[in-house]
Amino acid sequence: MGDSYIILKTTALKNGSLRHDIHYWIGKDTSQDESGTAAILTVELDAALGGRAVQYREIQGNETDKFLSYFRPCIMPQPGGVASGFKHVEVNEQEHETRLYVCTGNRVVHVPFARSSLNHDDIFILDTKSKIFQFNGSNSSIQERAKALEVVQYIKDTFHEGKCEVAAVEDGRLMADAEAGEFWGFFGGFAPLPRRAPVEDNEKYEETVFKLLCFNQGKLEPINYESLLHELLKTNKTTSLQERKSASEAAEKLLSDDNRTKTHVIKVIEGFETVMFKSKFKEWPQTPDLKLSSEDGRGKVAALLKRQGLNVKGLMKAAPAKEEPQAYIDCTGSLQVWRINDKDKILLPSADQSKFYTGDCYIFQYMYPGDDKEECLIGSWFGKKSIEEDRVTAISLASKMVESAKFQAVQTRLYEGKEPIQFFVIFQSFQVFKGGLSSGYKKFIAENGIDDDTYLEDGLALFRIQGSGPENMQAIQVDAAASSLNSSYSYILHDGNTVFTWTGNLTTSLDQEVVERQLDIIKPNSQSRSQKEGSETDQFWSLLGGKSEYPSQKIGRANESDPHLFSCILPKGNLKIKEIYHFTQDDLMTEDVFILDCHSDIFVWVGQQVDVKVRLQALDIGEKFVKLDFLMENLSSDTPIFVIMEGSEPTFFTRFFTWDSAKSLMHGNSYQRKLSIVKGGGSPALDKPKRRTPTYSGRSTVQDKSQRSRSMSFSPERVRVRGRSPAFTALAANFESANSRNLSTPPPVVKKLYPKSATPDSSSAPSKSSATASLTGSFDRPKSVKDGSELEKPKQEEDAKEGINTMTSRVESLTINEDVKENEPEDDEGLPVYPYDRLITTAADPVTEIDVTRRETYLSSAEFKDKFGMTKEAFSKLPKWKQNRMKIALQLF
């Protein structure tokens, strides 16, 4: 607390550049001279790094969120200082000092150990010799309590070597509770805390007034303005290192004179301004990054950093060249596509499901194998010329499909021309034709006198061919004119049976291969004439209406940028967001909605505990975020949006995290989940989970990854089956009658959860001695279950017994290419027999003194076959995970 510190954070960005953030932290007991020196040294360090760093002034107790994100879960400043000769006093166990901390937001403060320090609004941590208590104020939120538990874990690991008890005490819980009684005993016994009187806000709300001051010749001069415009800043003005130092001193003096002890000071360089700074101005033009040269003082500070073991030159080295975007999705799944027509959807035959029209809207459903379960992606695609009515219908019907899947399918909204790589890999070969087929589109163009240019096979048409190979190729119909050509692409031109292929000078042999493959789809039975750029025939130009100029540069697509995570709240329908710096999976609270912004894609993550009404608004939240454009990155309104439910995160989302899928299997709210880990170090098995986590188990069993290709082979012998796979057909047969088949309903879902009776094997669980290991490491799965799950019954099934038999049939129908694990039949002779109602986990009169891991073995043979739909011998030959799945469905796990 008596010192000042300088913290340098360097981040390698996806664009190959480096971002430097320099913070100087001022302890509350530091001297004024020392704090001023820290500010000056920060300027010098910035100069050594090229003069592009953002500099932050951090005051103890009022640090920025970005600064605190470097020191998770908290910083706990120690009294004294290096200059005062302060040294940490080593204490033994008998001398442990009982301390009381208050957790406010991301900050932890040591407060006097007294009852008067407690209140109903905050969370307090009492650190005693043998036990750590967390006291939750009655007005604190679940999320705040969960975050405070990270501090408890940190204290446990840091000051107790991970060996002490942890207790949670709820505000208002009386002495009858043992742990509450023990807690209040440290304060001399229980006594109600006084309620804080509501503070009357008599002050009138005043809009924040921004002042712009120019530092000129050693003085601060105010600039008068009517509107805060970018033009008020004198750009491209070269400032010396000494001028920057003097400006820093002037800012410190300004705060000192006005007694503004908690004000943040952030220093930015032209071309490297923060979003916060730019957002203060009425408008901010798009400006390229400036390359600032080194200044005087660089050598001195560089030498200092070198003595500290830091290679400044290495920090300035550019990142490796950017790689081609990866899909992160298995492309061997099954696809179904519907076209919107007259407020309904029409299922397309497999031969036409990759042929879209720019005037229409479509819904697609893609089922594919994930790491340990079947995944589902449901999306809507809007053609550039589609009508609003069809777009609304597509979103509505797609949302109903997701809702019928218990929100466990990923939903996406896509616009023509802005499709993500996942979309193209799913379709593999994709064509977009001019015009439209929907009745709404036809009516629109007729009413507005627009010519119907819908594609005709025997008419004149020009297609631009693009893609990276046979597993990702597209043919986009463009205007049949020479100006539509581009030297970076290949094209197909046809007029009736006259067919040309044209290759630009900047194309590759792979581009030409893709043209041949698209030609087989667009004009499969016609001979084509090859045209190379610069040696075209007169007939070719004649079909295009003559020669004209055309571009040579590839059409740009939005590049993926560094991801930013935001928490979202919706007070009165208005979207309020807050950025979470240096995020981890643990930041995704099950009670909240979060947005991950990658510029090229927007992901809306919805926790299991989020209200259903808010879940239904998830896509709208994403749309509002795009319009808000918080990062001022000129987000296109057509940016792809993905809505993801907790427990159904696809790989193309989890790749932004160090992901542990077991965390999505946990019961309870975020506080309950973390409390079970902190207290026991294992996975929670709460008695009454508020929600179980459903996941897709789909049509086919997921094969071992080593036996499954994640991309299509280039070999022409390999045929990709589209439409419904055999497994999907078998599944549908079990659920759908010939008279009432709803093709829009995705395959049934499976709920995935930790069984109440299952606990991890403590003998095999690795020890966790740090906060990071305990709260962000992988959770231990119970040995007895690989993928516990509970089957959901279709809505139309009323009869419980019929539903169980149907579920059993479903599981049997899904057994495809799955290796049977070692599981010898059990010898049940001599075991007592009990009725099913007494063996289930929710029994009112449960049987005692049985092996609860083998409840099914106590059923009679007749009742076993009635419930499971098979004999005990047949059941014993199933893989262990499949046995567990059926047992969970029957409440016998």
Side-chain angles (χ1 to χ4, degrees), residues 57-59 62 255 259-265:
R57 176 180 183 262
E58 308 283 358
I59 302 297
N62 193 46
L255 299 185
N259 196 29
R260 295 160 66 180
T261 58
K262 294 187 176 181
T263 300
H264 294 136
V265 177

Side-chain angles (χ1 to χ4, degrees), residues 278-291:
K278 292 188 289 187
S279 67
K280 307 301 181 187
F281 291 79
K282 186 175 181 181
E283 291 180 355
W284 192 271
Q286 289 294 309
T287 55
D289 289 348
L290 301 178
K291 303 237 178 237

Side-chain angles (χ1 to χ4, degrees), residues 34 56 180 213 276 337 412 526 645 678 684 741:
E34 199 170 89
Y56 303 81
L213 302 138
M276 182 187 296
V337 181
T412 184
S526 301
M645 274 296 300
V678 173
R741 168 175 280 183

Side-chain angles (χ1 to χ4, degrees), residues 230-251:
H230 174 265
E231 290 76 18
L232 293 171
L233 302 174
K234 295 181 180 179
T235 62
N236 299 320
K237 177 185 175 182
T238 303
T239 55
S240 67
L241 176 60
Q242 186 56 47
E243 283 180 297
R244 297 181 188 182
K245 288 181 181 180
S246 299
S248 180
E249 292 173 341

Side-chain angles (χ1 to χ4, degrees), residues 48-312:
L49 297 172
R52 66 182 65 186
V54 179
Q55 304 167 41
Y56 303 81
R57 176 180 183 262
E58 308 283 358
I59 302 297
Q60 180 183 338
N62 193 46
E63 298 87 353
T64 62
D65 289 338
K66 176 171 279 192
F67 177 82
L68 292 173
S69 72
Y70 306 148
F71 304 100
R72 294 193 175 196
C74 64
I75 57 172
M76 302 176 72
Q78 301 300 306
V82 175
S84 64
F86 170 80
K87 292 184 179 179
H88 178 67
V89 180
E90 296 292 337
V91 295
N92 57 38
E93 293 183 3
Q94 284 74 25
E95 296 175 345
H96 180 89
E97 180 183 355
T98 299
R99 290 189 173 190
L100 183 65
Y101 301 91
V102 60
C103 299
T104 306
N106 293 328
R107 296 166 182 82
V108 179
V109 181
H110 182 204
V111 294
F113 176 32
R115 183 198 306 277
S116 58
S117 297
L118 303 175
N119 61 60
H120 298 290
D121 300 317
D122 297 317
I123 297 168
F124 295 83
I125 297 173
L126 180 64
D127 179 20
T128 71
K129 178 181 177 181
S130 59
K131 185 178 286 189
I132 303 172
F133 297 87
Q134 176 169 315
F135 175 82
N136 300 315
S138 56
N139 297 331
S140 62
S141 69
I142 290 174
Q143 295 91 324
E144 290 171 333
R145 298 178 185 189
K147 284 294 181 184
L149 280 171
E150 296 179 8
V151 180
V152 170
Q153 183 71 62
Y154 172 75
I155 294 173
K156 178 181 178 181
D157 290 336
T158 306
F159 302 109
H160 298 267
E161 298 181 348
K163 299 174 183 177
C164 74
E165 295 183 44
V166 173
V169 177
E170 299 301 322
D171 186 7
R173 190 175 289 177
L174 302 180
M175 296 287 287
D177 182 276
E179 291 183 336
E182 187 177 356
F183 170 80
W184 288 110
F186 286 96
F187 296 91
F190 174 79
L193 299 177
R195 295 282 177 183
R196 288 181 181 177
V199 179
E200 294 185 7
D201 188 6
N202 296 323
E203 298 181 9
K204 294 183 178 179
Y205 173 76
E206 294 184 5
E207 187 177 352
T208 303
V209 177
F210 297 108
K211 295 180 182 179
L212 185 63
L213 302 138
C214 177
F215 184 73
N216 187 25
Q217 296 181 349
K219 294 182 179 180
L220 286 175
E221 301 173 352
I223 297 177
N224 297 321
Y225 60 87
E226 292 183 1
S227 180
L228 192 56
L229 301 174
H230 174 265
E231 290 76 18
L232 293 171
L233 302 174
K234 295 181 180 179
T235 62
N236 299 320
K237 177 185 175 182
T238 303
T239 55
S240 67
L241 176 60
Q242 186 56 47
E243 283 180 297
R244 297 181 188 182
K245 288 181 181 180
S246 299
S248 180
E249 292 173 341
E252 292 283 340
K253 187 175 185 303
L254 178 66
L255 299 185
S256 178
D257 292 346
D258 294 345
N259 196 29
R260 295 160 66 180
T261 58
K262 294 187 176 181
T263 300
H264 294 136
V265 177
I266 302 176
K267 304 167 191 175
V268 296
I269 305 294
E270 180 183 2
F272 303 93
E273 299 88 354
T274 63
V275 172
M276 182 187 296
F277 178 79
K278 292 188 289 187
S279 67
K280 307 301 181 187
F281 291 79
K282 186 175 181 181
E283 291 180 355
W284 192 271
Q286 289 294 309
T287 55
D289 289 348
L290 301 178
K291 303 237 178 237
L292 302 181
S293 59
S294 307
E295 303 184 43
D296 54 337
R298 175 185 176 89
K300 176 183 175 183
V301 181
L304 172 64
L305 295 176
K306 190 173 182 180
R307 289 199 300 271
Q308 298 292 330
L310 182 64
N311 187 343
V312 177

Side-chain angles (χ1 to χ4, degrees), residues 225 299 344 705 780 864:
Y225 60 87
D344 202 355
K705 277 195 169 185
D780 302 319
F864 187 98

